[in-house]
Amino acid sequence: MMKFLVTAALAALVSGTALAEDIKIGVTPGEHAQIMEKVKDVAAKKGLNIEILEFSDYVVPNQALADGDLNANSFQHQPYLDNQIADRGFDLVGVGKTITTPMGVYSKKVKALGELADGATVAIPNDPTNGGRALLILAKEGLIKVNPEAGLKAGPADVTENPKNITFAELDAAQLPRSLDDVDAAVINTNYALEAGLHPKTDAIAIEGAESPYANLIVVRSADKDAPWVKTLVEAYHDDSIKTFINEEFKGALIPSW
């Protein structure tokens, strides 16, 4: 029996295939999950079997990865990861870029930011990096001014000029699309916008510029960063077929970032 197993293993190596490996990857619903389904097909041909687990928020996937319940996750940009590492002490690292999802401003009340009334309420994400990202979009559009020393982690307290006396409602990112009936505008991450049937190119009244530093990442534990399966995973994600799928499926709402 042992001789047979050794012979089979040698035959697999000679034929250029490797024994299959199983990993679990955490994603958020929407585009990250859709793309990972395609990556799963590419990876399977390379001997890497992916189980995809969806998480409805931005906090749990990093904790699950740090705890060993996941092998990788794919949902966050570098500034968010940096903040999580600083706040929670995670030993995690990005190993490959995925997509950039330009954040947009949406409203059921106005057609342009300039139409917002004095004292209007604008909802933004309640996590430091995405909240800061939202405020910087509003600042670029001339609605407010933000203290430049706050950098990417700006919060409402860092707003130095607010001529329309905007009130900022800080909400969980996943709740922002549902807040549109109750607020005058909301700054929404693209994954949650798409999930709610909102398209950045056609429905947003303002959108993040192409120079955004918020490319998303495949993230693993630091101890795994040089593991062979990590290289296979990144190669599968960076396959030309994945770029084609993103461009055709999302029609410019997402930007392949590799």
Side-chain angles (χ1 to χ4, degrees), residues 3 6 8 20 33 57 66 71 84 91 95 148 214 221 226:
K3 182 177 180 181
V6 172
D57 66 22
N71 300 98
Q84 286 269 291
D91 192 11
V95 291
Y214 296 94
R221 290 183 295 277
D226 296 319

Side-chain angles (χ1 to χ4, degrees), residues 10 59 79 81 89 120 148 172 192 232 257:
L10 287 173
V59 178
L81 176 62
D172 183 82
Y192 293 124
T232 302
S257 299

Side-chain angles (χ1 to χ4, degrees), residues 15-258:
S15 66
T17 62
L19 298 176
E21 187 162 5
D22 300 329
I23 64 169
K24 294 180 179 180
I25 297 181
V27 298
T28 44
E31 78 275 18
H32 289 295
Q34 288 176 261
I35 296 168
M36 193 56 67
E37 288 289 350
K38 298 297 181 181
V39 174
K40 177 179 178 178
D41 293 339
V42 176
K45 297 173 184 176
K46 299 176 179 289
L48 184 64
N49 298 322
I50 296 175
E51 180 182 350
I52 301 170
L53 302 176
E54 293 190 20
F55 295 82
S56 61
D57 66 22
Y58 288 160
V59 178
V60 179
N62 279 332
Q63 187 66 60
L65 178 57
D67 290 344
D69 297 323
L70 298 173
N71 300 98
N73 65 43
S74 177
F75 75 97
Q76 66 193 316
H77 48 63
Q78 188 69 55
Y80 183 81
L81 176 62
D82 290 342
N83 189 69
Q84 286 269 291
I85 291 170
D87 285 354
R88 297 171 180 266
F90 294 143
D91 192 11
L92 307 177
V93 63
V95 291
K97 291 184 179 180
T98 59
I99 53 174
T100 297
T101 57
M103 184 179 267
V105 186
Y106 301 83
S107 176
K108 292 185 177 181
K109 312 284 177 62
V110 298
K111 300 290 186 184
L113 283 175
E115 297 176 10
L116 288 172
D118 187 84
T121 298
V122 176
I124 63 173
N126 64 1
D127 64 89
T129 48
N130 283 302
R133 182 181 182 184
L135 291 174
L136 293 175
I137 294 170
L138 298 175
K140 185 176 180 181
E141 293 294 324
L143 189 67
I144 58 173
K145 287 188 178 180
V146 177
N147 184 348
E149 294 181 3
L152 299 179
K153 294 184 180 181
D158 298 303
V159 175
T160 56
E161 293 186 28
N162 186 2
K164 290 200 171 190
N165 299 303
I166 300 297
T167 296
F168 298 101
E170 297 180 272
L171 304 175
D172 183 82
Q175 304 301 319
L176 288 168
R178 288 192 284 273
S179 76
L180 287 173
D181 290 327
D182 303 313
V183 301
D184 296 288
V187 192
I188 305 176
N189 295 79
T190 293
N191 59 316
Y192 293 124
L194 292 174
E195 189 180 350
L198 300 168
H199 194 287
K201 281 214 163 186
T202 56
D203 297 318
I205 60 174
I207 196 165
E208 198 168 34
E211 72 282 0
S212 166
Y214 296 94
N216 286 283
L217 305 164
I218 295 170
V219 176
V220 303
R221 290 183 295 277
S222 296
D224 290 334
K225 67 184 178 65
D226 296 319
W229 65 262
V230 173
K231 181 180 179 182
T232 302
L233 173 60
V234 174
E235 287 177 350
Y237 203 113
H238 290 178
D239 190 85
D240 286 344
S241 66
I242 303 303
K243 184 173 290 187
T244 298
F245 170 75
I246 292 168
N247 290 331
E248 292 180 352
E249 179 70 17
F250 298 100
K251 298 177 173 57
L254 309 179
I255 304 167
S257 299
W258 68 90

